[in-house]
C-alpha cells in the first residue's frame, strides 16, 4: 500500500484492506489539510494514533514511514513530488514488480513534468537505500 494520504490510509476502510501476512505499507506520515481544519485551526489529526493503527495490523517490519511531502518540498521544491518519491521508495524496497526503467518510461509517457517526476522517483530510491542521508 502506498499511503500517500495518512488520513485515508488509516481510515476504517483503509485499515480493513490490510492483512498482516500480505500487506506492506509505505506511509507518508504527514497529514494533509482537510476541510475540518478550516473550522478548527487547532485540530489534532492524531498522526501517531493513525500510524499506530496501521502498525498494529501489519507490524513494524511491514511498515515504512516517510515524511514524503516535507522531503519533496525540501529537496525538490514542490510537495507534488511526494507521490513519485513514494513509488521510488517502494520500488527500492522490492515492492513494485517492474523494472526501474519501465517506471521511468511510464513517467516519460505520462508527459507531465517528466524530469521532475523522474528525479522524485530516484530520490525515493535513494531514501530507501540510505534513509540517514536525508536527515
Amino acid at each position: 500500500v502506498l499511503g500517500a494520504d495518512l488520513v485515508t490510509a488509516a481510515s476504517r476502510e483503509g485499515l480493513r484492506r490490510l492483512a498482516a501476512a500480505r500487506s506492506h505499507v509505505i506511509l507518508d506520515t504527514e497529514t494533509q489539510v482537510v476541510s475540518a481544519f478550516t473550522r478548527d485551526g487547532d485540530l489534532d489529526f492524531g498522526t501517531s494514533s493513525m500510524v499506530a493503527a496501521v502498525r498494529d495490523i501489519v507490524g513494524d517490519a511491514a511498515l515504512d514511514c516517510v515524511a514524503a511531502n516535507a522531503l519533496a518540498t525540501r529537496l525538490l521544491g514542490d510537495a507534488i513530488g511526494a507521490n513519485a518519491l513514494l513509488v521510488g521508495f517502494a520500488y527500492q524496497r522490492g515492492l513494485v514488480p517492474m523494472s526501474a526503467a519501465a517506471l521511468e518510461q511510464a513517467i516519460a509517457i505520462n508527459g507531465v513534468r517528466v524530469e521532475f517526476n523522474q528525479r522524485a522517483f530516484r530520490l525515493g530510491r535513494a531514501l530507501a537505500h540510505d534513509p540517514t542521508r536525508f536527515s
Side-chain angles (χ1 to χ4, degrees):
V1 172
L2 292 180
D5 176 0
L6 176 58
V7 173
T8 301
S11 70
R12 196 176 320 247
E13 183 67 20
L15 295 173
R16 189 174 67 79
R17 298 183 184 282
L18 300 176
R22 64 175 166 79
S23 299
H24 192 112
V25 180
I26 310 294
L27 193 60
D28 186 349
T29 53
E30 295 185 31
T31 52
Q32 304 302 309
V33 175
V34 295
S35 62
F37 189 74
T38 62
R39 295 183 297 281
D40 180 3
D42 296 321
L43 182 65
D44 177 11
F45 287 100
T47 301
S48 60
S49 63
M50 287 187 280
V51 171
V54 173
R55 181 177 282 116
D56 287 347
I57 295 171
V58 301
D60 286 326
L63 174 63
D64 286 295
C65 293
V66 179
N69 276 284
L71 282 168
T73 301
R74 183 169 55 106
L75 300 172
L76 301 167
D78 192 340
I80 200 72
N83 289 346
L85 184 148
L86 289 172
V87 172
F89 191 98
Y91 171 80
Q92 194 66 26
R93 288 280 196 245
L95 301 169
V96 180
M98 300 173 71
S99 69
L103 290 166
E104 291 207 25
Q105 182 179 11
I107 291 169
I109 290 169
N110 186 44
V112 177
R113 295 182 72 182
V114 173
E115 205 170 294
F116 173 84
N117 283 305
Q118 287 177 338
R119 189 167 160 227
F121 172 75
R122 292 179 195 132
L123 177 63
R125 292 186 65 192
L127 178 65
H129 177 71
D130 182 8
T132 61
R133 179 177 164 195
F134 301 97
S135 300

